Amino acid sequence: MRSLQYIVIWIVCAMLTIVGCTNRNDTMNEAKANVAWQQYNEARKAKDLRRTLAIIDSMEQSQIICTMKADHLRGLAYDQGWQMRIAEHFYKKAYKGYAPKPSQDWDSYTDAGYRWAYLRFRRGDTEGALSVITELLPQAKDNKAFPKKAEAALLMLMADCQIQLQQFDEAQLTGQKAYEAELQYVNNERLKGWGLAWICMKISTIHHEIGDLEGALAWNDRCAEGIALAEQEHDDSLLIEEWKGHIALTRALYLQESGQTAQAATTYAAVPRSRLFEPRAYSEAAEYLMAVGRYNEAAYWYEQIDSTYLATDGAQMTFDNIAERLSPRYSAYRKASRNVDALVLADSINAAIDSALVWQKKNDASELAVIYQTHKKELALEESEFQTTVYRVIAIAAILICLLIAYLLWRSYIYNNVLLEKNRRLLDDIKQREREQQQAIEQLKAEPEEQLTTEQQLFRHICEFMESPEHIYTDSELDRSRLAQLLGTNEHYITDAISACTNGKSVNSFLNEYRLRYAAHLLSTTTNSVTLIAELSGFSRSSFFRVFSDTYGMSPSDYRQVANK
């Protein structure tokens, strides 16, 4: 009883130790993950692409994040570094990786899908973008876990695609659905205003692009309502002022284009200069001024756009930058009759186009090289994983074969033990039966001859003849007739004597008993082959195995095995 108590105490202590180690490991892993995420956020904030990628690789190797999450983060890193082809490659990988089981991380899955579709749209693959969107959106109806924020963003991107395809009515309906999805999202979130403002601004832009100025103004008003709500939720006055500036400038443009010039001028004049402090606002102000014919003022704001970019990391000239920064300024110079400035800018545009071509080629080559290297690493990893899988399959197969062999050996061992035990019992029965037969013969020999019948006297004489050292019964030619000749009597007497004294045995059965006993003796005392013993005992090879097995209940080999143990 005391030993049992010791065992129980030992088991409880072991379990407590395991639980303690597990909790300690979980705490250490959580701390390690927190440090890694902090380093990642710092590297991304510093726009250090190389360090960001190294941290992502480390997090993946440490299993802080899965491969799909790592690919999603790589896509974000390359996206921030303006390497869009590589970003698209990793967004696609992350999206495809999550696709079989999106429930692993709905947010990452939908964000990777949206960004992949958006980049495809940006490079002109409208149909490709729509294929991703139409693959994602049905899941929003079937899964409550599908983020409503992602649903709204996907619907807005679909509306952009529909405008590109000149499906204007469909684009308006899709924008309305996006707004409804956004409402469902913000009703479940603490911060509501920003999402509504963003979605309303996007829908307002859609209506403006398709020429529905009334709808554009209505959605512009809704955007203002969203910012008013955001102002109640946030204390970021700078961002609030920025958004108010965007709303007022776009409203002034819409009013001007709809013929409400006085109201447009009043709206524009009411915008404080403090709200015009970043390129988007400069562009919106310039668009309004171009619409009202104030070209010199418009040119000023376009100059501000260019100078702002030159002072930041976005100074690299691309075709998009030429279209957004230089071409509108050139138009403003021409319409303001500033031909000299226009000619100077035209020369800059030509130089910028050459620079953009060179940069685009280098950037494309660099991105393709990274994609190739990434693909090469993926192939090497897949090959390594395949080899590992093959080795595991081989190892498992080898283990299963070994287990099967062990099982068969165990079954064979059990079977042999059972068979050996059975044969031992049979051998004991055989020995007992032979002793009884021998006792009966000895008793017959001890009886006075005058008390024996004629058959008994002849049988005793037959037994003495069989027990002679010559082992006459080993002669395969010995039969009833031959035995009668050797004993000098009639063969019928031989048959009657053996039958009367052995409970009806035939002469052949009587002879075979002596032959079998002699064969059994040779099996247990010699190493001769079974075939040789059969011949030495007076049997043919074919009949020996049959007669021995029928009489002893086991084969000659089994008899030898059990007799020698």
Side-chain angles (χ1 to χ4, degrees), residues 149 182-192 233:
K149 185 72 174 177
E182 184 68 22
L183 281 178
Q184 292 182 36
Y185 168 73
V186 299
N187 288 335
N188 296 321
E189 295 292 325
R190 184 173 61 86
L191 307 177
K192 305 176 181 179
E233 301 167 346

Side-chain angles (χ1 to χ4, degrees), residues 297-315:
E297 293 179 65
Y300 167 78
W301 287 116
Y302 283 131
E303 289 168 357
Q304 295 304 308
I305 294 173
D306 200 36
S307 61
T308 301
Y309 273 110
L310 288 171
T312 65
D313 293 337

